[in-house]
Amino acid sequence: MALKNDLLLRTLRGEQMERTPVWMMRQAGRYLPEYMVLREKYGFFERCQTPELACEITIQPVDIVGVDAAILFSDILVVPQAMGLEVQLIESKGPVLPDPIKTAKDLQRVRVPDVNETLSYVFDAIKLIKQELNERVPLIGFAGAPWTLLCYMVQGKGSKTFDEAKAFCYTQPELAHQLLQMITDTTIAYLKGQVAAGADTIQIFDSWGGLLSPGDFENISLQYIRQIVAALKDEVPVIIFAKGAWHSLDAMAATGAHGLGIDWCIQPQLARQFAGNAVTLQGNFDPAKLLSPIPVIEKEVKEMLAAFGPGNHIANLGHGILPNVPVDHARAFVDTVKNYRRQ
């Protein structure tokens, strides 16, 4: 059976579309009252690891907000968890990894797992989501980029600067590259499993890529993302979102990725100049702007779409939607994109 709405996939393949497809990072989550009902009843990992719950949460924004794609409800930290580290997600505080990697001895506690044993609940969720979506829209699978996962595995918690993770890479480079390769190998197997289960496209989230200089971004992050893209790009379209790493859009485009996510800190015209014309750009509305009055959202979304111009573009936010955004404001964002026609 063919997808009823394949705008996202066709845009990623470089086809000219009648309109711009739209979805939002973190669209399955805390701004939706329906999600909050489930959050009151079930812990975070219980929601991720129970296919029926992950399925319901994944599909909520398709039904409620009308996005052109579903994205799997999960978390990037299921990979460190599968590799043997304890991960706690404390509501409203963020992730805590109580026994982070600091030394060669610590690295012995981490393994490249059999993803079919450790992450089978994700694959089961994807199969169920595909069944329940009934080909309405494509399903996006995802994983964290190796550098971003290393940040949490070494720092042990969230940070604005991840100085400890950087120091680990600079003072113990051999150990860091060993860990990055283990994360990469796990992630490739994990994403291939997602595709086998039915994911239509994949996004790699490098949330902390922008903390690195261009040279370090290549050495510590992009050389590993490149391996992941190479392993998957002939099976499904791949999107890289390295927040803040716009200085390397040309290098990211050269990986063969189909799409590149950008945030609101770079102008679409400049991003296109860096990335070239062969790749689809995704973004780049500031999530905080969804708190503006609806007429302002409508006006600014139209300005964003005009700035991206006629080249291949997927409308999205420049980062995840904020929990305090009213649902009708999120819907206004989506509807404005859907109703926009270039002059």
Side-chain angles (χ1 to χ4, degrees), residues 165-343:
K166 283 176 147 184
F168 177 80
C169 293
Y170 300 150
T171 59
Q172 304 182 78
E174 280 183 26
L175 209 56
H177 284 292
Q178 197 181 333
L179 178 55
L180 286 163
Q181 192 58 56
M182 290 172 78
I183 299 168
T184 301
D185 294 344
T186 305
T187 301
I188 288 171
Y190 176 47
L191 289 175
K192 280 185 172 278
Q194 289 189 30
V195 172
D200 297 293
T201 178
I202 292 295
Q203 178 154 310
I204 302 162
F205 284 86
D206 198 5
S207 309
W208 305 113
L211 296 178
L212 300 170
S213 70
D216 286 335
F217 181 71
E218 168 57 42
N219 183 38
I220 298 171
S221 182
L222 190 57
Q223 69 159 316
Y224 296 99
I225 292 175
R226 195 177 285 119
Q227 292 179 42
I228 299 167
V229 174
L232 284 142
K233 69 183 172 69
D234 294 333
E235 292 181 40
V236 289
V238 178
I239 304 165
I240 304 171
F241 176 58
K243 188 175 185 308
W246 52 266
H247 50 67
S248 297
L249 281 168
D250 55 344
M252 286 188 263
T255 62
H258 302 74
L260 299 179
I262 58 170
D263 65 25
W264 57 94
C265 297
I266 180 168
Q267 294 159 312
Q269 298 93 325
L270 194 57
R272 179 58 73 195
Q273 207 177 312
F274 287 165
N277 294 320
V279 72
T280 296
L281 293 176
Q282 177 176 275
N284 68 336
F285 203 72
D286 182 343
K289 278 198 174 167
L290 291 181
L291 297 167
S292 309
I294 286 176
V296 175
I297 295 170
E298 291 170 345
K299 174 178 166 287
E300 300 231 357
V301 169
K302 287 173 190 168
E303 286 172 4
M304 173 189 80
L305 293 166
F308 275 95
N312 281 358
H313 173 224
I314 296 163
N316 204 320
L317 306 174
H319 206 39
I321 189 169
L322 302 170
N324 55 334
V325 168
V327 175
D328 57 340
H329 288 220
R331 203 180 284 121
F333 172 76
V334 171
D335 287 345
T336 305
V337 176
K338 285 179 153 183
N339 295 327
Y340 179 80
R341 295 294 179 271
R342 290 195 179 85
Q343 303 307 312

Side-chain angles (χ1 to χ4, degrees), residues 93-109:
K93 277 188 86 173
V96 174
L97 289 75
D99 297 307
I101 307 292
K102 303 290 184 190
T103 64
K105 190 164 181 284
D106 290 335
L107 200 61
Q108 292 168 9
R109 293 189 278 117

Side-chain angles (χ1 to χ4, degrees), residues 17 25 52 64 68 80 113 125-126 147 154 167 169 253 266 293 300 305 313:
M17 291 292 90
M25 289 185 275
E52 293 75 14
I64 298 163
D68 288 314
I126 288 173
W147 153 250
V154 171
C169 293
I266 180 168
E300 300 231 357
L305 293 166
H313 173 224

Side-chain angles (χ1 to χ4, degrees), residues 67-123:
V67 283
D68 288 314
I71 182 165
L72 170 70
F73 176 75
S74 185
D75 194 272
I76 63 171
L77 295 178
V78 299
V79 166
Q81 202 175 43
M83 293 177 74
L85 287 189
E86 185 188 348
V87 179
Q88 302 167 359
L89 267 164
I90 299 158
E91 297 293 359
S92 309
K93 277 188 86 173
V96 174
L97 289 75
D99 297 307
I101 307 292
K102 303 290 184 190
T103 64
K105 190 164 181 284
D106 290 335
L107 200 61
Q108 292 168 9
R109 293 189 278 117
V110 178
R111 68 190 190 284
V112 174
D114 177 346
V115 293
N116 291 310
E117 284 175 17
T118 54
L119 292 160
S120 59
Y121 64 88
V122 175
F123 309 144

Side-chain angles (χ1 to χ4, degrees), residues 44-57:
F44 185 81
F45 281 115
E46 195 178 357
R47 298 194 296 276
C48 287
Q49 292 168 2
T50 308
E52 293 75 14
L53 291 175
C55 175
E56 185 178 343
I57 294 165

